[in-house]
Each structure stands twice: as structure tokens, then as C-alpha cells.
Amino acid sequence: MRLSPPHRPALAAAGALLGGLLVAVPITAVASASEPDWNACLKGTADRQAVFDRAAETSGVPAEVLLAVSYMESRWDAHGEAPSTSGGYGPMHLTDLSALAKDTEAHPDPLGKGDGSNLPATTTRQREEAVRLGEVETLRAANDITGIPVADLREDAVANICGGAAVLADYQEAAGGAESLADWSAAVGRYSGAADEATALKFARQVFATLSAGESRTTNDGHRVTLAGKPVTASEEAIGRLDLAEADADAAETVECPAVLGCESLPAPYEQTGDTVGDYGNHDLGSRPEEGSVDYIVIHDTETSYDGTVRLVQDPTYLGWHYTLRSVDGHVAHHIPGKDVGWHAGNWYVNSHSIGLEHEGYAANGAWYTEAMYQTSATLVGYLAQSYGVPLDRAHIIGHDQVQGVAPANVAGMHWDPGPYWDWSHYFDLLRSPIKPDRHSRSEIWTVNPDFDTNTGNVMTGCTQAGVPCPSDRGTNFVNVYAEPSTDAPLLPDTVVGGSAKVSNWGPRLAAGQKVVVNDRTRPTWWGVWFGGKQGWIQNPRDVLLPSDGKVVTPKAGTTAKIYGTAYPTQASDYPAGVTPRTIAPLQYTIPAGQKYVLADARIPTDYYKANNFNCATVDGVPDCIVISGDTTYYQIWFNHRIAYVMADDVTVTNG
């Protein structure tokens, strides 16, 4: 777009800042003694690397600081008129409270406890209270300083970067200037919008770690941007000059979180909500891992703002999950101890064996899954995985979209977050467990791993409006499975949800890190795979599949194998007197004779966690909050987009 000229001179002087920039560590850009010329920042090529350089030269903010802050906020991407869940716009995530005021969507329809019980729908009052205006409005500050019109700061990447640089320069001047690169920790910490010192310091550490390591990528609109690494450490002393609130020391002792993240304690309530012992919320007491195991970490998105999400999790009549992560700075709120069982996955077996993390964002617009949130989440998940012995692989670090229903009636209604725009490959790089080739022998097994940034050819609809194509410039985490080896063929229909191109339809998709058996390699650009009990086809397999080792399961000779959404005990004798045995209902899927699927985990616990009463009360002599184990052996397999379980008696396991 054509930018309007600034309508008034800058309000922040740069003279004091200049003096501080001329000493200590050499800094890339230095402001002139006169007021910055923001027209000069706007003029010239729109190449994003060049724009960052111009903004640095104009503002006096070191280019590497500007690049590192933007990378953490947006990975240098532009999003046009689309605000983030925190009301932020553009590569510099300039925040506007009016955008937050429009965010009235509540958390997605709750799936209940996941054991077949129902939960009251969210009330109108709760939906209204799910959004609270924030406190930081950098977009208006950028307008005041530069005179660049608000509309341009929102919608144009050039103006947005210039505006963000102006705000950072203004923040640093207010903090007393900068004599070294590390002194810019003050401006960086304040730019995060954090209300407390620990969160500001965490964000500054992430920014300066990125600055030290360097980064390079192609943005969603085709700009190649590079940040050359320059070793430097964030300054705690500089953050201390911001005069922010100190963290609550007593609360810090109760959070299960790496100290470096400065997590906040916002406990989810465990309260009785009615007259009977079974009326309570919003989670269950437990004794994991002493009794019961944690085998999964489930990645969710919030589908509303951070403030709305933490309001909901503090409602005893709603659902409970263990952590919420904020998009703008990666801040973490801890709600439920890991020993206790959250109601977050919509599948009681998975709930009883998992920890749930809600990430601020929208599945249909993953553009605002920020680097700050990715990095914080990976640090937290790595900590939890080590604490509970959860393998760092895609069979155990799973999306909510990978969770099956507990019974046939539940399959279609399960959620699909974090959706096609969550960058699983990058996430596992941050977890230091990259998705990579691991084959050491001949095998039919392959691992899906498209290049996220360039994987933009998947046609989807409904991101903003039903039937309307989604933006074609966004990277995606999946490859489509077709019914025939041709892009003119329909997408392979899932038995339950079909094969439409709706953004919410996980049915025909293989996501990064998932494994598949290839059964036909006779065509150079199409390979045949077994998927969801059917024959499917993947285009350009050499570009999206990695060779892998492993084992496969196939139905015993002449039979089909049933698919299950849980691994509950199957025999009535497994259950104590007074406890009703769980109904073991196979799902709508089967593995036809001769088909093979990759074994994901051969050591699945066969158990049911009975937790029906408030405070684990014993009723009629029947104890509560007990793990009931059985002797039936289950295997977890890669079946379709979701994880699935088969009974060992129904299949044969062989090398892949």
C-alpha cells in the first residue's frame, strides 16, 4: 500500500540516547543528534532486511536488537490487517486495545471431563468476561512518537517496523540510555508488556539468546531476513531499572516450572459445585506418577485471549488444564499440579495420562504462534518430559487434534487444535529432539516432515469465512493424502469426518513427525500409503518423507483389527466390587487384512483411573481416586491423523 506521510513531528527526543550509544560495545545503528526523520525510514525499498536497517539507522536502536525483538514477536512475518490474540499488528507486534475489544470469542465448546459425563455450556456472562483489555498499547505510542498514521502502523510492514523501532528507542531513553548492547535489555523487557520483573527478564533473555545465536528465514510474504549472531547476555541490572513488580516468592515455590521461565501461579479451583459428592470441578485429584503415569503432553490452543483463558480455568464449573502460555511474551501461568488430572483432552484415558498446555492463539490463524511462546513452551515441555519420563517424540508430545474419542459417538466432535499452522518441526528443534531420518536398515516406514515455511501449497478453506480459501502464503505442518495418485483426485475421506479441504478437517492429513508405511513406490512423484484403514497417496514423497526404522503391526492372518480410543481393562474381574466396568467400544475404524501400520508404543498402560467423587470420597464402601489395572495388552499405533490403540491379541508385530 501507499503510505501516508507522518502528520506531526516525533515527540521523543534522541539526543540523550545518542550519548549512551557511542561507548562500550559497538552498536550497529546510532541516531543523529537531531530528531529522527521518520519519513526517511518509510522511504526506500520494502525489502524487509533493508527496512530493519533503515529503522535502526533512523531510531538509534541497534539493528540486531530490533531484529531479535521482531523475531520473538512475529518471526519477522507480516499479517496485514490481522491482529494477534494480544491485539498486536505486524512484524513488531504493535499492540492496539481496540483490537482486543473486538475479541469476544470464548474458548471452544467444552468436551467435558472426557469420561462420558457432560459439562454445562459456558454462560453468556462467562463469554463476556472471557476478554479483558490489556494494559500496553504500543501502536498509539508509535503514532505519538513518529506521526505515522495508525492505519499504516497496523497494516503496512514498513511503517510497523519503523514504529516499533521508535517505541524501543523511547523506552531505552526513559531507562537512562545505553552504554552497551546489553543495556538494551531495559527497552526489550518493557516492550514485552510484562507487569513483573521475572517475566520481563525472561523475555529479554530469549531475545538476547536469539541475538547471540543468530537466525535466518524466509517470511510468510517472501522476504529473506538474516540476523547475524553476536554473543551478548541480557542484563538483570538493566531490567531492574524498570521498577516492575517483583514475583511472589511464596507462589514461585508452588509452581512446577523451570526457574528461568518465571512462571506465575494461578491455581485452578477444586471445589464442590452442587449438593452431591459428584458435583465438583474443575479437575481431579491424583497421585501421579506414584499411582498412574504421565505418558503424554497435549498441546492445545486457546481460541480466545490469554486473559479470557485464565478466567475460564479459574471457574470451578468449567474445565481445568495444567498451564496457559501467553502469545506476546511466552509468559506461563501454572494452574494444576502435575500429580492431578486435568479435564482438557476430551478423552478420560488420555486425561488421566497427560498434562495439558493451552497456548494463546487460533488454530485457523496460526500466524500468531510467536517465537516467544514456542521457545517458552519447548523449555516447559522439556522440563515436564524429564520430570515424568515422557519421550520427546510425536507419539507422546501430541496435539489435541491427535486425541481420539473414547467411543464412536465422540470421534467427530473432538477438537482439531493447535491445527495446521503449528510448526511441529521447529518445535521439536527447540526441544532438541529434531524430526530427522533414523533408518539404519531396509524399512517400509517413513516419517512425515514437510518444510514448514515453504509448504504453502495445501489448499484449505474457512480460515476467515466458510467456503473462502485460506491465505496461500502461510506455511503448514502437513501433507494431504489423496484417494488416487493425482491432485485432481479427491482427498482421501476419513471414515468419520470425510475428506473436505476445510481448515478444521484433520481427516486427510499427515502432520510433521507422524509415521506411515509406504506400500507402493512405482511412481516417482506419488507413493502409496496405508492411512486410516484405506489406500492413500502422497505427492512428491521425496520432499516430505524421511526414511525411518521401527516396527509395524498387521492384523492376524485372515482377520481385521479393531481400533480403540482408550486402553481400559477389558475384563469385569479387573474392576473392584462396586465399580462398574468400563464399556470397551471399538471405534468406526478397522485395519483390513494385509495392511500395516507403524507401532508407536508397545508399552501402553492398561488402566482406568476411577475419580468420580469430590475429595476422593468413599461411597457405599467403594473407594475413589484409584487406578484400576488390567491384563489386556494394547499397542499404540500411527493409524490416521490421530493416535489409536489396538489389542495385541488382534495383531502381529514385525520389523518394518
Side-chain angles (χ1 to χ4, degrees):
M1 66 177 288
R2 184 178 182 274
L3 288 172
S4 307
H7 56 78
R8 56 184 170 178
L11 301 180
L17 185 61
L18 173 65
L21 289 175
L22 293 177
V23 296
V25 176
I27 293 177
T28 300
V30 179
S32 65
S34 60
E35 288 187 350
D37 181 0
W38 296 109
N39 273 316
C41 187
L42 298 175
K43 293 177 180 177
T45 176
D47 173 76
R48 195 140 307 152
Q49 186 88 51
V51 175
F52 278 114
D53 289 341
R54 283 205 310 274
E57 182 177 0
T58 302
S59 66
V61 178
E64 52 267 58
V65 170
L66 194 59
L67 283 161
V69 169
S70 178
Y71 184 81
M72 294 304 299
E73 296 281 28
S74 69
R75 299 177 80 189
W76 303 320
D77 286 339
H79 307 295
E81 299 178 10
S84 75
T85 48
S86 302
Y89 291 87
M92 293 303 297
H93 196 260
L94 293 176
T95 51
D96 181 9
L97 297 189
S98 64
L100 277 178
K102 298 173 184 177
D103 178 13
T104 57
E105 183 176 0
H107 198 273
D109 292 335
L111 294 173
K113 185 172 176 178
D115 62 350
S117 61
N118 295 319
L119 195 76
T122 308
T123 66
T124 301
R125 175 177 170 274
Q126 288 169 330
R127 289 180 184 272
E128 291 172 349
E129 290 187 350
V131 178
R132 181 169 63 89
L133 295 182
E135 298 175 354
V136 178
E137 194 169 30
T138 52
L139 188 139
R140 305 288 170 177
N143 168 253
D144 286 342
I145 296 167
T146 66
I148 299 173
V150 166
D152 294 345
L153 291 165
R154 282 198 198 102
E155 300 168 18
D156 185 85
V158 175
N160 187 272
I161 292 169
C162 294
V167 173
L168 278 167
D170 189 66
Y171 284 174
Q172 192 60 38
E173 182 180 8
E179 296 185 357
S180 69
L181 203 57
D183 284 345
W184 283 88
S185 300
V188 170
R190 184 175 173 189
Y191 197 89
S192 73
D196 64 273
E197 188 172 307
T199 303
L201 179 59
K202 175 192 69 68
F203 183 76
R205 282 172 170 164
Q206 289 179 318
V207 167
F208 280 89
T210 298
L211 194 158
S212 297
E215 287 289 349
S216 185
R217 73 181 291 265
T218 300
T219 67
N220 62 352
D221 52 351
H223 293 273
R224 189 68 185 175
V225 182
T226 297
L227 166 61
K230 178 181 289 188
V232 64
T233 302
S235 167
E236 291 189 41
E237 189 274 333
I239 295 292
R241 296 202 300 268
L242 296 178
D243 195 28
L244 298 174
E246 294 185 5
D248 185 334
D250 292 335
E253 292 180 1
T254 67
V255 297
E256 298 172 14
C257 181
V260 69
L261 295 185
C263 298
E264 177 183 11
S265 177
L266 289 176
Y270 182 72
E271 299 176 8
Q272 194 158 5
T273 58
D275 296 331
T276 72
V277 73
D279 296 329
Y280 66 96
N282 59 17
H283 58 280
D284 276 292
L285 302 182
S287 302
R288 304 181 305 181
E290 287 76 16
E291 296 181 34
S293 57
V294 175
D295 303 296
Y296 305 104
I297 298 172
V298 182
I299 305 300
H300 304 258
D301 77 48
T302 63
E303 297 297 314
T304 188
S305 68
Y306 172 85
D307 288 333
T309 303
V310 296
R311 281 177 180 265
L312 289 172
V313 79
Q314 293 178 91
D315 181 348
T317 67
Y318 200 68
L319 307 177
W321 48 90
H322 296 82
Y323 299 88
T324 302
L325 289 88
R326 189 164 60 201
S327 172
V328 63
D329 57 3
H331 177 64
V332 180
H334 179 220
H335 309 301
I336 299 175
K339 70 180 182 64
D340 293 340
V341 177
W343 301 352
H344 60 93
N347 177 314
W348 182 245
Y349 178 81
V350 174
N351 278 345
S352 65
H353 287 282
S354 68
I355 289 174
L357 279 62
E358 289 278 0
H359 297 75
E360 185 184 22
Y362 296 93
N365 180 14
W368 289 110
Y369 292 148
T370 65
E371 183 64 16
M373 189 165 66
Y374 273 126
Q375 290 191 15
T376 297
S377 180
T379 300
L380 177 59
V381 167
Y383 165 87
L384 293 171
Q386 184 176 35
S387 299
Y388 291 96
V390 180
L392 287 176
D393 60 38
R394 286 286 282 114
H396 300 89
I397 311 299
I398 62 175
H400 194 186
D401 55 342
Q402 290 175 256
V403 179
Q404 292 281 6
V406 294
N410 304 106
V411 173
M414 296 296 288
H415 287 178
W416 57 281
D417 56 303
Y421 298 120
W422 181 266
D423 191 346
W424 285 110
S425 297
H426 178 56
Y427 193 56
F428 272 79
D429 287 343
L430 294 173
L431 284 168
R432 300 183 182 179
S433 183
I435 300 169
K436 61 183 180 180
D438 61 359
R439 180 178 297 169
H440 306 291
S441 60
R442 184 174 179 82
S443 174
E444 305 165 288
I445 299 173
W446 296 75
T447 300
V448 179
N449 195 33
D451 180 85
F452 182 87
D453 289 334
T454 61
N455 190 40
T456 58
N458 291 316
V459 177
M460 295 184 292
T461 64
C463 286
T464 57
Q465 184 178 343
V468 175
C470 297
S472 59
D473 58 359
R474 293 183 189 164
T476 55
N477 62 21
F478 70 94
V479 296
N480 277 318
V481 183
Y482 289 83
E484 300 291 342
S486 169
T487 53
D488 293 329
L491 298 174
L492 187 69
D494 179 81
T495 299
V496 178
V497 301
S500 77
K502 292 179 181 179
V503 65
S504 59
N505 188 5
W506 48 267
R509 297 175 188 162
L510 271 168
Q514 296 181 336
K515 296 180 183 291
V516 66
V517 173
V518 171
N519 58 52
D520 188 331
R521 295 172 57 183
T522 59
R523 298 166 176 81
T525 59
W526 289 90
W527 283 1
V529 298
W530 283 306
F531 186 70
K534 301 178 180 181
Q535 175 66 51
W537 298 87
I538 294 176
Q539 188 183 25
N540 298 325
R542 291 291 185 183
D543 296 335
V544 298
L545 297 180
L546 303 175
S548 301
D549 269 339
K551 296 182 180 296
V552 298
V553 302
T554 190
K556 291 188 174 177
T559 69
T560 61
K562 297 176 181 178
I563 297 294
Y564 298 88
T566 66
Y568 288 148
T570 59
Q571 303 301 314
S573 58
D574 295 329
Y575 295 81
V579 178
T580 302
R582 303 305 293 174
T583 299
I584 314 299
L587 304 182
Q588 296 93 322
Y589 310 98
T590 60
I591 303 178
Q595 287 195 6
K596 298 178 182 178
Y597 290 84
V598 181
L599 178 66
D601 193 336
R603 294 178 292 182
I604 293 298
T606 302
D607 61 25
Y608 165 64
Y609 184 56
K610 179 191 175 298
N612 306 121
N613 305 325
F614 183 60
N615 276 337
C616 304
T618 296
V619 176
D620 296 330
V622 180
D624 201 47
C625 298
I626 57 173
V627 177
I628 300 169
S629 299
D631 295 327
T632 301
T633 299
Y634 290 88
Y635 298 140
Q636 180 182 326
I637 65 170
W638 294 106
F639 179 67
N640 54 12
H641 184 84
R642 294 174 170 171
I643 64 173
Y645 306 102
V646 294
M647 292 185 184
D649 287 346
D650 294 342
V651 297
T652 300
V653 178
T654 59
N655 290 326

